[in-house]
Amino acid sequence: MTAYLFRRTLFAVFVLWGAVTVVFLVLRLVPGDPAQLILGSDATQDEIARLREQMGLNRPLVVQYGIYLGDVVRFDFGDSYRYHSDAMGLVMGRFPLTLQLAVVAMVIGLVLGISLGVVGALRVNRLADRVVSVFALLSQSMPSFWIGIMFILVFARQLHWLASGGHGGFDRLVLPGVTLALPLIAILIRLTRSGLLDVVHENYIQTARAKGLSERLVIFLHAIRNALIPIVTVAGLEFGKLLGGAVIVETVFSWPGVGRLLIDSISARDYNVVQAAILLIACGFVLINLVVDVLYGYLDPRIRLGR
């Protein structure tokens, strides 16, 4: 088990290093002068040259990369050129809103995904199963930005039931939460349905039925409990994806989280904020995956015993 945890931790470190390196290279190799973009078209060449020197853009790329890695290790990303405040502090200030949206989407996904998956498994090849399967297919195949726009047009503009965007009360959280949760619902429906169909014919399920237990007790006390092991693993991994996937949803619904800040900073070529935001999302994703790996190691005796 110790060797397993060491391997997973080492892999997480390499993933973070890869993420920060890709971010550095992409931002540096994108055409255009960030100093020119920040200062605007009215800036003089002297002003642009001073800003380039301040940002370190006049140094060789290898030197910039070395300085960048040192700053990442210290969690020092400098100040935002657009907001004139600490870049990581700015990102951390938006992170609770992104986390709130991801948690809401996860709760919606778990409740609806597992419930509909159970319905599909108990009504296999019947009308309810076909309806659930079509819903899962549509939820996973349609892009989030299109779903979000349709939700705004129908529920906010036409029916006036919910707010179209922004941050505030519960009515402003429903549409982005459901939009972000739909792909997760589709995954959990299929996983729950297939997991239940695999275990309902196992010997211990037949034994429980032979003892006279009702079908409801057999399903909810025995079948679902054993089918939940892979569901918990996938749900943990998907939660990390929700943090990154919130970028599109936050932009569509004007949700003031890390995702929208990231998009605005990319447009303004605000290097420091972009690097801080992506590193924070990557850290959250890697940390969640590491926790899931540890939990799976304890749940699976083959890993725990080093087999």
Side-chain angles (χ1 to χ4, degrees), residues 159-230:
L159 300 178
H160 302 286
W161 288 356
L162 299 166
S164 61
H167 173 254
F170 177 76
D171 62 323
R172 298 182 182 274
L173 186 59
V174 174
L175 291 184
V178 173
T179 302
L180 189 60
L182 281 178
L184 175 62
I185 293 174
I187 294 173
L188 293 180
I189 285 175
R190 293 182 174 182
L191 194 62
T192 304
R193 181 183 181 277
S194 62
L196 277 179
L197 291 178
D198 287 339
V199 302
V200 290
H201 300 296
E202 295 290 339
N203 291 332
Y204 66 90
I205 297 295
Q206 302 302 326
T207 301
R209 287 170 175 162
K211 290 181 178 179
L213 294 178
S214 65
E215 189 67 16
R216 178 176 298 180
L217 289 178
V218 170
I219 295 298
F220 287 96
L221 290 183
H222 298 280
I224 289 183
R225 184 171 60 182
N226 288 277
L228 279 179
I229 295 177

